[in-house]
Amino acid sequence: MRPCFIFVFAWLAFLQASEAEDARKGGIGPEVLPPGALAPTADLPNDEALAARREAGGTVSPKIVPRKEKGYGLAEFSQFLSFGETGTILPKGSVLYYPDAHSIRLISGASKTMLSWPDFLTANRSWLATHEVSLAQVKGEAPISESDRASFKAGGKMVVATLRNNPVTVLIKPSTTPSKP
């Protein structure tokens, strides 16, 4: 019985070897593609064909609406400081005090060369100072004291509010609370 199994296994091995020599009929590659095949996007309609289909179907052409500027970008919520050709960006409401002589350093747009806040502060320490504020002052719950405001005027420098050494907007509490309708 054993010689029979050996004979069967030898015959199967011979068949597999002979099949491996034949060229493979299926698979992938350029030889398998049909002749004259086009790119997958060759049969896509262009804009004119889509417009013709839309009109033939009886649908209304879309109305072109011009884009409206929302005014809620980074520049609208920022204050730019400049000195020469360098500048930096701060959150709006972070400048607590500036003398009239330094008002030209508050600009409406970006400068040629923008620096990070720490680099700009280091380069302009002669006319720029920071004042660390509390979280309550940032929220507008506690005002900045009059003694601090007097020291800003006496220093003669532009003062920027910071929280953990980063510029921050300081909200001003309204003097009157709005009435409910």
Side-chain angles (χ1 to χ4, degrees):
M1 189 123 151
R2 285 190 175 199
C4 184
F5 283 123
I6 293 174
F7 179 70
V8 171
F9 285 130
W11 181 256
L12 288 175
F14 174 73
L15 286 177
Q16 286 179 350
S18 65
E19 287 178 9
E21 293 174 4
D22 293 341
R24 194 168 173 196
K25 303 289 187 220
I28 59 172
E31 63 274 355
V32 182
L33 294 175
L38 298 174
T41 58
D43 59 346
L44 292 178
N46 57 13
D47 291 340
E48 292 81 19
L50 287 174
R53 283 186 193 175
R54 189 180 309 122
E55 289 174 9
T59 59
V60 179
S61 298
K63 181 181 175 184
I64 298 173
V65 180
R67 183 178 168 188
K68 293 181 182 177
E69 293 295 328
K70 294 181 181 177
Y72 295 111
L74 179 65
E76 287 79 20
F77 289 114
S78 302
Q79 176 66 57
F80 296 92
L81 291 183
S82 169
F83 185 72
E85 292 189 7
T86 62
T88 192
I89 186 169
L90 300 173
K92 215 169 230 180
S94 63
V95 176
L96 296 177
Y97 173 77
Y98 62 94
D100 292 334
H102 297 308
S103 63
I104 60 170
R105 298 176 201 244
L106 293 170
I107 58 174
S108 60
S111 298
K112 276 187 176 178
T113 306
M114 296 297 288
L115 297 176
S116 65
W117 167 245
D119 294 339
F120 188 81
L121 179 63
T122 303
N124 297 294
R125 277 285 184 190
S126 62
W127 60 271
L128 191 58
T130 61
H131 178 72
E132 193 72 19
V133 293
S134 66
L135 194 56
Q137 289 172 328
V138 169
K139 292 179 182 179
E141 296 169 354
I144 296 174
S145 68
E146 290 301 321
S147 63
D148 286 340
R149 292 192 183 275
S151 68
F152 299 161
K153 289 181 184 178
K157 295 182 177 184
M158 183 180 292
V159 180
V160 176
T162 58
L163 181 66
R164 299 182 193 112
N165 295 324
N166 295 310
V168 64
T169 300
V170 175
L171 299 176
I172 300 171
K173 189 173 186 176
S175 59
T176 60
T177 57
S179 61
K180 292 184 179 179

